[in-house]
Amino acid sequence: MSQSATRTGILVGVDGSAESDAAIRWATNEAVMRGVPMTLAHVVAPLIRSWPMEAMYANVTEWQQGNARHVLEQALKTAHAGVPESQLPDVYAETLNSSVVSTLVHASENKQMVVIGSRGTGALGRLLLGSVSTGLVHHARCPVAVIRPEPPPSGSDAPVLLGIDGSPASEAATALAFDEASRRGVGLVALHAWSDVAVFPMLGMDWHEYESEGHEILGERLAGWQEQYPDVQVQRRLVCDQPARWLIRESQHAQLVIIGSRGRAGFASTWLGSVSSAVAQSADIPVLVVRETALESGWASTE
């Protein structure tokens, strides 16, 4: 693949939170596995200056810079504690001063992956993803990994779970899923939902025709990648139900979910738009979201 030749490592957004620490640990292992450098970035949002706040501006700015140094120092310690010193990749730390989302989106243009912590309140009553993780999922120029504070232990032999719908974004996600499964030495579960609605019969629908089409999509999308990655054992799953529900359910037995962002047009346009957000919000394991722009950086090439 051309990915490693055109992209320069992994970017981790850090802010000192538990989610941030989890993202650092996951990204460190990913960087070790790929043999690439890692950049820990803390973004300081600019203050809006106004006359009543003018006297406090200098003090607040000084506090922000001091806090940034503290956050990055702790982030470096977390990264170093995650793996043996002999295996630690090159790790860089930087403070960026601008809007958080736009800054990280811009920085993602030359990265293999962005890793960010999620925002949540647990399985019940969970809040939506944080504004930063949501912004990156929808706008980053490379795959985005959304990490929970304390992902449940799924076992090192648990498979990678892939959502397939046949779109360009799905093709890029498939490329990354085979790569991740191969590097981890685990199997791949490829799931395709051949219905975007609940399983209640609809008048005039030929279910057998849709099911046959689903098997065809899976076969076509997996064939080239199975040839390129003969070491990856693939289990195909074809379901008749809303895809997000099944991906979240199957994620309980996986170590990583990979899904595209932006999907089929028309009636099924929600497959990898809202689905990617729903899975990133609800799955308890790391979720990698791949946008169609990943096609430009070599993820979906079988050459």
Side-chain angles (χ1 to χ4, degrees):
M1 294 185 192
S2 61
Q3 176 72 12
S4 60
T6 59
R7 301 263 171 163
T8 56
I10 295 173
L11 176 69
V12 190
V14 301
D15 62 6
S17 66
E19 291 91 343
S20 173
D21 289 344
I24 294 168
R25 289 189 290 269
W26 190 90
T28 301
N29 289 326
E30 187 76 12
V32 169
M33 188 170 58
R34 294 182 171 278
V36 298
M38 179 173 68
T39 299
L40 306 173
H42 178 70
V43 183
V44 177
L47 293 174
I48 300 176
R49 302 182 69 165
S50 60
W51 179 80
M53 294 290 293
E54 190 69 28
M56 298 176 57
Y57 182 83
N59 290 336
V60 174
T61 301
E62 183 178 351
W63 177 88
Q64 284 183 315
Q65 296 302 320
N67 181 65
R69 288 191 295 271
H70 174 73
V71 167
L72 288 175
E73 287 172 1
Q74 295 303 311
L76 285 168
K77 290 180 181 179
T78 300
H80 281 75
V83 297
E85 192 69 28
S86 60
Q87 298 179 18
L88 190 71
D90 291 335
V91 182
Y92 306 97
E94 60 182 15
T95 300
L96 305 173
N97 295 277
S98 190
S99 167
V100 178
V101 174
S102 62
T103 298
L104 292 177
V105 168
H106 178 73
S108 73
E109 292 182 357
N110 66 347
K111 298 299 179 184
Q112 291 185 24
M113 183 183 299
V114 174
V115 183
I116 196 78
S118 66
R119 299 291 183 184
T121 58
L124 297 177
R126 178 170 288 159
L127 299 175
L128 293 175
L129 287 177
S131 59
V132 175
S133 52
T134 299
L136 285 171
V137 162
H138 291 295
H139 300 292
R141 303 292 296 176
C142 66
V144 177
V146 180
I147 312 298
R148 289 283 168 201
E150 303 241 346
S154 54
S156 60
D157 60 345
V160 170
L161 174 62
L162 165 69
I164 289 183
D165 76 339
S167 70
S170 175
E171 181 70 5
T174 301
L176 181 53
F178 270 93
D179 184 69
E180 289 286 339
S182 179
R183 292 178 186 277
R184 286 170 165 74
V186 300
L188 176 68
V189 176
L191 185 146
H192 173 69
W194 56 277
S195 172
D196 291 296
V197 296
V199 294
F200 301 107
M202 295 179 64
L203 184 63
M205 291 188 70
D206 186 341
W207 293 110
H208 295 292
E209 180 181 342
Y210 280 94
E211 184 178 13
S212 176
E213 180 183 345
H215 282 295
E216 185 177 338
I217 289 175
L218 274 176
E220 290 177 352
R221 296 300 175 180
L222 295 174
W225 297 110
Q226 286 184 294
E227 293 176 3
Q228 184 170 339
Y229 293 92
D231 59 314
V232 177
Q233 297 295 314
V234 180
Q235 178 184 352
R236 303 183 186 187
R237 294 293 310 276
L238 186 64
V239 298
C240 175
D241 202 353
Q242 296 172 346
R245 181 184 305 173
W246 276 95
L247 286 167
I248 294 168
R249 175 177 174 178
E250 292 293 323
S251 72
Q252 298 174 15
H253 310 291
Q255 63 174 277
L256 173 66
V257 182
I258 300 181
I259 189 170
S261 180
R262 307 293 182 189
R264 302 179 298 218
F267 175 71
S269 62
T270 59
W271 208 131
L272 294 182
S274 62
V275 171
S276 59
S277 295
V279 175
Q281 175 184 332
S282 301
D284 288 323
I285 63 173
V287 176
L288 253 174
V289 180
V290 186
R291 300 184 66 240
E292 291 184 27
T293 50
L295 289 164
E296 303 169 3
S297 57
W299 278 123
S301 172
T302 55
E303 300 296 327

